[in-house]
Amino acid sequence: MPSNTVPTPLPRRSGQRPVWYRRFPPTREGWYFLTATLLIGLAALNAGLNPLFLIWGAMLSLILMSGVLSELCIRDIEVRRHLPPVIHAGTPYLMGIAFHNKKKRLPSFSVEVEDLLEGSPIEKRCYFLKVPAGRAQETAYRTTARRRGRYHLSGFRVSTRFPFGLIQKSRDIASPCDVLVYPALVPVPASLLKGLPTPHGRGSTHWRSRRGDFFGLREFRQGDDPRDIHWRTSARRGAPFVREMEDDEGKEATLVLDNGAVAEGPGAHEQAFENAVSLAASVARTLLGRGYRVGLVTRDAEIRPDGGPGQATRIMRLLATIGRVGADSPRLDSATAHARIRITPGKPPVVERAFELARTPA
Amino acid sequence: MRFQATHKLASYVLVAVAMASLAAAGLVAPLAAALAFAGLLLSWFAEPTSFLGVLIAGRGALPARLIAVAFLALTVWEVAAHLPEPDLSPIISLLLFLVVFKLFHRRSNRDYLHLYILSFLLILAAAAFAQSAVFLVGFWLYVLLTTWTLMLFHLRREMEENYLVKHSTQAPSQKVGVHRILNSRRVVGRWFFVLTAGVAVVIFAGALVTFMLVPRVGAGFVLGGPKPRRFLVGFSDEVALGQSGFLSSDNRAVALRATVPRLASLDAAARDRELENLYWRGTVYDTYDHGHWARSRTPGLATDLEPLGRQWMVKEPGFRGSSPFPPLANTIRQEIDIVGLQVPVAFGLDQPIAFELQDAQPGVGAAAELRLVPRWSSEVALRLFSRASSSVSESEEGRTAGGAHYVVFSRDSLAHASAQSGMPIDELDPDLLRPYLALPSELSPRVQALARTITAGKPSASAKLQAVIDWLGRTHGYSTQLKRHTAVADPLEDFLFEQKAGHCEYFASAAAVLLRAAGVPTRYVNGFLGGEWNALGEHVTVRQNRAHSWAEAYLGEFGWVRVDATPSIKASRSMSRLSEMVDSLELWWSRWVVSYDFARQIDLARSLGKRLGLLPSPGGRAADGALSWRRHKVGFINGAAALVLGFGVMQWRRRRPRRSEERIRRIPSGTPVGQLYEKALRRLAAGGFPRRPSETPREYLERARTVGLQGWEVLERITAHYEDARFGGALVEEGIVRALARRIAELVPSSEATGITKVTAVTGG
């Protein structure tokens, strides 16, 4: 498995190890030390030299204390994950790890924390040199999810080689968390955005913001007419909200993603499907970033056009987990009168209904 | 102190302690030890960036390597030259050289690791040959420093390999410089060392427990023996007057230690008087010739050792006949620890009549055996034999073993003079008496004339003996400043007629020769006189400066009687408190560490069991020991109950949630707004959008907003009121609570919250 990647989802393990379960394999130096202990013990027993028994006893006690002290380091601790807001496949991200030492008096030394994906470590470690009693420290590891989808992070593996570097003791801490990896972002072909109005600067407006019937309230976006701000709602919510008019939907687009399975078997078609999903995500993100209200239609789901970060999340979540449906699944077409882009795996995307030109100011 | 400097200091002290332990074991010549320590100190300044370090790494690299190779070759040659009995001294010197070499070449963590391994080999060598309690001090310090050093080394290595990695999503993670953290004072502090010293104490205690409990069942090889200690001339097969050991106040090395229970029961004044009369009998000589005493090795004079249980009874068959041995209960029992003598003699108070050996002896491997070897004139020797040897006679394979431990049973030759200790002279075989009456043919006639003069009119042997003693005491003085009249060939004649002063050897020789000339059988004895009482350990310490010579005269039915013609000399009989402590420690070390064996383990277990009342007394009834059930029934029950209760309390405290967490997690469900919030959470959880245990209400609300939860505004209001009530103590109006409760249905859980609509039919086309 290449580094910085997250493997494809594995089936969940049934049953968990008991809380007290510990792993303590010796390190390389630990093996040397154990061998030396064995040899010196044999020499002491064989030769009957009493001072050698003292040496041997000290070595045995040192091994024992190594186990005790390492256990103290990884007891009474809490580990939390700080996920980034968005994770796209193929894009590096930082996973924050917070280590809290809940012991009252003893610090934790030299602790490594690994995330567990479906019970297996992902081989990206966060290291904490010293966490005093009652304190917390944060760090992060950098990794890249190779594929989109839902990943189940089952917990953490906390390990330490403290105090003598002879044994690496580790324990697993359950902290289940599902991480949704959004599709990879790809460059959007210019042909798809043909006719797309250029992004507006601050304070300028090129569309009618007061025409039409009252539709609802939405969050203020850059480019909105400040005169459309609904002050009462804004005061109550603590964020600016604008009135949304029905005819204010000149900036609306629908993406149609055909996720019907192709009659022929998988293989190259699998990659084509992933490419299509990535393209759909990239187009949706671009349009939403330009203030469009974007909807998504597939063979088995539909998201009504809307804008804002919430809409982006909804679309990305659907695309993160979307799969192919049967080839005989009915096609779904949006009856929208606005721009529509059809993305079919294995075929070039088609602009079925072009974007309107930029409207003149009211 | 900065971390890096602390680690370096700990490593250096660790190596220094190992070197010191090795030097204390006597395995290193003083010059080599001095050079090694000088190298240790100088290498402190040989950092990679310092002038010395640059020099060593640069121009000095090749010469250093050449020296190392040459040293190695020399060591191999020296070891090979002594095969099949290799001498370990060159190997130990090589180890020291490697340690110093590595100290000058400290570059990376691996070099420090090599240093630790080398220091461990040094301490191992010191342990194999340690004969003094000083090793225990060095061992404790080594354990303490090893604990500190290994921890610091581990942290340092982890820092350099894992720490200070700069993460970025735009670029691969990079390690930043570790120098800042290595120079930090905050990684380890005073309490770190205090607590880890406690860990070292536990490790040391574990070492002692292992030492005590592991049974001694060795049956293997024997390592090369320790270097012979100072050999005090005077206990060999031949003694020369004026050249042998003499009373020297300079030589305070301990020769032996003796535990004499009878002395411990006396008061101080009586004990001091007893100490003056402790004659530790060693070697015996029967032939005098021109200033030399030797053994004639006459077969009839051979000592006979007769086994009697665990003891070996000392007999001179020709002189004792069939007289029974006195009961050992009436004898003076001594437990002897030979310390500073590498001699084959079994010392004991005059006159030893029985010996008893321990199964294991210090410095003796399991494959070897210490045995009593009979010599002449009731002298007994100690010899080391391999277990495979079936012969008890002196073997060329036999080696002497210093540090022997044994028990002696003695009778006071003067106190028991009235007992039937011997046979009348006229009943003895003349051949047996001849060696003890022999005089050298060249002996000056005036010596014989002198003897006749002194003993004139003295009919009995005892009267002659007393006359000789009186005469010598009256006419001669004690002196250690020996002068010789070169014109007089015989030193004894010189002493008697010219010098009229000398030390104990001269007085003993003069008494023996004069008595022989008067017809009294005599022999010459070397040993020790007196000792220092150690009140702390309740034993007698006999130093080398107490070496003494006297004579023995045969007085018929009284047997062999001690004759000390030397004027009494005052010697220190007591030690300072510090000396007592050190001396007792050394004795304890010798008996309880170096010669700790399986028999002593069994004895220890038995005595412990009897003391605790766990073992029955010889009468079959369990004794009321310190921890007997009968005596402490209530205490046992209370103690057990307290233990169980304490354990239960401990477990309960561990399992219950902490107060702060409880406070944080507990929702004040008694309040309306609390119940409202719980209701909202239950609705959302049922719909597949539960609040995570680690999420605060505000974090949960933010997550709900991110996923576009429908009815988010309702949740926001409920959360705001809930927080006000819980953290701000605010009272929320019931009307507001009711209004929000009606709007809970607007909270749309799960798939509806994601805004994804599942489509099952075609809608247009």
Side-chain angles (χ1 to χ4, degrees), chain A residues 29 40 45-46 49-51 61 75 102 110 127 130 140 142 161-163 237 300-302 313-314 330 332, chain B residues 127 154 157-158 167-168 171 186-187 206 216 218 220-221 223 593-594 596 654 661 713 754 757 759 762-763:
Chain A
E29 289 80 11
I40 288 172
L45 288 169
N46 205 20
L49 288 173
N50 281 328
S61 299
R75 279 180 81 91
K102 299 167 79 174
S110 188
Y127 180 75
K130 176 187 173 186
R142 181 175 180 270
R161 283 189 285 262
F162 187 79
R237 299 285 288 271
D300 57 344
E302 180 182 1
T313 301
R314 283 188 284 271
L332 191 65
Chain B
H154 163 71
R157 194 164 67 170
E158 291 292 309
H167 294 292
S168 169
R186 295 166 57 182
V187 180
R216 306 299 193 262
F221 56 92
L223 292 177
V593 177
V594 181
Y596 187 71
R654 277 193 61 220
E661 294 170 1
E713 306 82 11
T754 63
T757 305
V759 178
V762 175
T763 56

Side-chain angles (χ1 to χ4, degrees), chain A residues 10 12 15 52 88 97 111 137 155 170 183 200 285 289 346-348:
Chain A
L10 298 173
R12 290 191 190 197
L52 276 189
H88 284 278
I97 300 290
V111 178
Q137 286 185 6
S170 63
H200 303 292
R285 184 167 178 266
K347 297 179 182 176

Side-chain angles (χ1 to χ4, degrees), chain B residues 515-531:
Chain B
L515 285 170
R516 284 187 181 187
V520 177
T522 58
R523 58 196 183 188
Y524 178 86
V525 179
N526 269 346
F528 295 94
L529 173 61

Side-chain angles (χ1 to χ4, degrees), chain B residues 428-759:
Chain B
L428 293 177
D429 183 356
D431 291 333
L432 291 181
L433 284 177
R434 190 170 296 115
Y436 297 126
L437 289 170
L439 289 169
S441 55
E442 328 64 72
L443 188 66
S444 170
R446 54 176 180 164
V447 173
Q448 299 190 39
L450 178 61
R452 286 193 294 272
T453 304
I454 294 170
T455 58
K458 304 291 187 292
S460 64
S462 58
K464 292 177 183 176
L465 186 151
Q466 192 61 51
V468 167
I469 292 173
D470 292 340
W471 182 85
L472 284 171
R474 201 169 54 246
T475 61
H476 288 70
Y478 183 87
S479 173
T480 56
Q481 307 299 323
L482 299 180
K483 298 173 188 171
R484 279 286 276 128
H485 198 298
T486 53
V488 181
D490 189 352
L492 181 63
E493 189 180 348
D494 186 29
F495 166 73
L496 285 172
F497 299 106
E498 303 299 330
Q499 304 302 328
K500 294 185 182 289
H503 54 69
C504 54
E505 286 183 346
Y506 289 93
F507 281 92
S509 301
V513 169
L514 288 172
L515 285 170
R516 284 187 181 187
V520 177
T522 58
R523 58 196 183 188
Y524 178 86
V525 179
N526 269 346
F528 295 94
L529 173 61
E532 296 169 38
W533 177 250
N534 186 321
L536 191 64
E538 293 191 339
H539 62 266
V540 180
T541 299
V542 181
R543 301 184 188 275
Q544 304 273 9
N545 59 7
R546 290 192 171 270
H548 191 53
S549 301
W550 62 92
E552 287 182 349
Y554 190 76
L555 300 183
E557 296 87 352
F558 300 114
W560 288 98
V561 173
R562 183 174 67 243
V563 179
D564 189 3
T566 308
S568 62
I569 41 176
K570 289 291 182 187
S572 171
R573 293 193 297 267
S574 62
M575 292 187 245
S576 66
R577 190 68 180 171
L578 181 62
S579 299
E580 284 183 350
M581 289 171 64
V582 172
D583 192 61
S584 297
L585 186 63
E586 292 289 342
L587 180 64
W588 173 85
W589 171 262
S590 173
R591 287 192 183 170
W592 285 98
V593 177
V594 181
S595 56
Y596 187 71
D597 64 345
F598 188 64
R600 204 176 276 278
Q601 284 178 309
I602 297 295
D603 289 341
L604 195 65
R606 280 193 187 137
S607 64
L608 195 65
K610 286 178 188 170
R611 197 181 289 261
L612 296 178
L614 301 175
L615 289 180
S617 63
R621 180 173 154 275
D624 280 346
L627 294 179
S628 72
W629 171 253
R630 260 200 299 271
R631 282 172 61 182
H632 302 287
K633 191 189 308 184
V634 174
F636 277 138
I637 294 172
N638 288 341
L643 271 175
V644 171
L645 189 64
F647 184 73
V649 168
M650 213 166 59
Q651 290 300 312
W652 173 74
R653 284 185 63 136
R654 277 193 61 220
R655 290 181 198 283
R656 71 181 179 127
R658 293 168 190 255
R659 256 195 195 175
S660 55
E661 294 170 1
E662 201 176 323
R663 198 185 306 124
I664 288 170
R665 288 183 181 160
R666 189 178 65 241
I667 297 174
S669 54
T671 61
V673 69
Q675 291 171 352
L676 178 65
Y677 188 70
E678 284 183 359
K679 189 176 177 184
L681 291 182
R682 281 197 298 271
R683 177 174 170 80
L684 291 172
F689 190 71
R691 178 184 156 197
R692 296 174 186 149
S694 59
E695 268 183 328
T696 63
R698 190 57 60 171
E699 287 174 347
Y700 183 57
L701 180 67
E702 180 61 25
R703 186 159 67 92
R705 187 189 74 82
T706 304
V707 303
L709 175 73
Q710 286 198 8
W712 182 84
E713 306 82 11
V714 177
L715 181 64
E716 190 210 16
R717 288 189 64 187
I718 293 174
T719 304
H721 287 303
Y722 169 71
E723 286 183 335
D724 289 342
R726 205 182 111 193
F727 300 110
L731 288 176
V732 183
E733 294 176 12
E734 276 199 37
I736 295 176
V737 174
R738 279 200 295 270
L740 288 172
R742 284 193 292 270
R743 296 187 64 185
I744 273 194
E746 295 178 30
L747 294 175
V748 180
S750 192
S751 59
E752 292 169 336
T754 63
I756 300 171
T757 305
K758 292 291 182 187
V759 178

Side-chain angles (χ1 to χ4, degrees), chain B residues 69-119:
Chain B
V69 170
F71 209 105
L72 178 63
L74 180 66
T75 302
V76 170
W77 179 79
E78 284 192 351
V79 170
H82 286 87
L83 290 175
E85 289 193 5
D87 183 14
L88 296 181
S89 300
I91 297 176
I92 292 171
S93 299
L94 177 65
L95 276 178
L96 276 177
F97 173 80
L98 288 176
V99 166
V100 175
F101 185 88
K102 194 49 92 171
L103 284 169
F104 276 100
H105 290 84
R106 290 174 291 110
R107 298 288 178 267
S108 65
N109 289 326
R110 183 169 291 275
D111 295 320
Y112 277 100
L113 190 61
H114 293 163
L115 263 179
Y116 304 149
I117 294 171
L118 289 171
S119 73

Side-chain angles (χ1 to χ4, degrees), chain A residues 208 211 245-256 292-295 305 334-341 351-356 359:
Chain A
R208 296 160 293 190
R211 200 180 61 171
M245 302 305 182
E246 207 168 4
D247 273 357
D248 198 20
E249 300 315 310
K251 296 178 69 177
E252 183 173 307
T254 298
L255 301 179
V256 179
Y292 267 76
R293 299 175 67 211
V294 180
S334 171
T336 175
H338 301 285
R340 191 166 67 241
I341 299 173
V351 179
E352 292 183 341
R353 194 176 178 89
F355 290 98
E356 289 185 0
R359 296 176 184 272

